[in-house]
Amino acid sequence: MQPTLVAVAHGSRDPRALHTALALLERVRELRPRLDVRLGHIELNEPLLGSVLGELRGAAVLVPLLLGRGYHVKRDLPAAAGRAAHLRTRIAAPLGPHPLLVEALYERLVEAGWSAGTAVVLAAAGSRDPDAAADTRRTAGLLAERLGGVPVVPAYASAAAPSAPEAVRALAARGHHRIAVASYFAAPGRFAAQTAAAAPALAAAPLGDHPALARLLLHRYDEALARPAQPVRPELVSA
């Protein structure tokens, strides 16, 4: 029997976030109908991750619905797995950086009206973890390549600089008069709305239930299973 795929979302007070995660997991089930797919949250929403793991038996792969390395991936997920001692647990890498993620960002921008030559602010949640910032910068570089070489500047809603308004002003100071904001968020919420408000012209929707994300979730699941099993310790979790 295949290990259960447990998609781990952060959780949000915005009800759209839960609906979005559930819609994404429906896409995953359509791609792999025989796989048991569950959703667990780190905080703010039910079901909480600990409750989901407590109900499972056998083996599970925790796949973060998170876009880079940071405290939740490095600490919260291994801690939850460690408390579920009855399970054989693996932890997958976060979703980003990855070309499938970039494809979803590109298509969300095009849906919002992006056109060639328009500079982009890649708006992310932000983290004090330098690995998280490195992952966002890597995604920005990949997105710039996908957009034909236009500038793509990372910006953050919290915990890191620059903010989205600062990034917009910096691009404008460099002579870029057409600037779009790409929403580097898995679902709608306060941070996504906050950064979108900084857009002088257009802001893309969050990644949501884009089909590329469903494929990426399964890719991270398969990747985790292909690695040799290791004890779940915080320092072993990396992208």
Side-chain angles (χ1 to χ4, degrees):
M1 185 174 177
Q2 298 177 87
T4 299
L5 188 162
V6 180
V8 185
H10 179 275
S12 171
R13 292 183 176 88
D14 190 320
R16 295 174 298 170
L18 176 57
H19 296 317
T20 300
L22 293 173
L24 176 61
L25 295 196
E26 280 305 308
R27 288 193 183 275
V28 173
R29 294 184 183 103
E30 289 169 5
L31 291 171
R32 202 168 295 184
R34 295 184 180 180
L35 180 62
D36 184 13
V37 178
R38 309 286 183 98
L39 174 65
H41 294 91
I42 294 170
E43 59 183 359
L44 299 176
N45 287 114
E46 299 287 345
L48 291 171
L49 177 59
S51 298
V52 173
L53 296 181
E55 295 171 356
L56 296 177
R57 296 295 180 269
V61 177
L62 277 56
V63 183
L65 290 180
L66 303 168
L67 302 177
R69 294 168 291 173
Y71 185 86
H72 296 307
V73 172
K74 293 180 176 181
R75 300 292 168 186
D76 286 341
L77 269 64
R83 289 191 292 268
H86 63 289
L87 280 178
R88 299 186 304 279
T89 309
R90 296 174 186 242
I91 300 176
L95 297 182
H98 194 274
L100 282 170
L101 200 56
V102 171
E103 196 60 29
L105 286 165
Y106 168 78
E107 293 189 8
R108 291 296 189 225
L109 280 166
V110 171
E111 289 169 2
W114 180 88
S115 58
T118 302
V120 172
V121 171
L122 181 64
S127 170
R128 293 183 178 86
D129 190 308
D131 287 335
D135 290 343
T136 304
R137 289 194 301 271
R138 173 64 177 150
T139 298
L142 292 171
L143 182 58
E145 292 174 12
R146 182 65 179 86
L147 295 175
V150 301
V152 177
V153 177
Y156 306 96
S158 69
S163 67
E166 288 168 343
V168 167
R169 288 194 294 270
L171 282 169
R174 289 161 54 185
H176 296 282
H177 304 297
R178 292 185 296 163
I179 303 169
V181 172
S183 187
Y184 198 38
F185 298 94
R190 178 169 62 90
F191 283 168
Q194 173 185 318
T195 53
L202 63 93
L207 296 162
D209 64 341
H210 192 285
L213 258 69
R215 299 199 302 274
L216 181 51
L217 267 173
L218 288 170
H219 172 72
R220 292 303 195 202
Y221 170 87
D222 293 337
E223 217 176 35
L225 288 179
R227 293 197 303 262
Q230 294 177 316
V232 175
R233 299 203 313 266
E235 63 270 24
L236 293 177
V237 181
S238 61

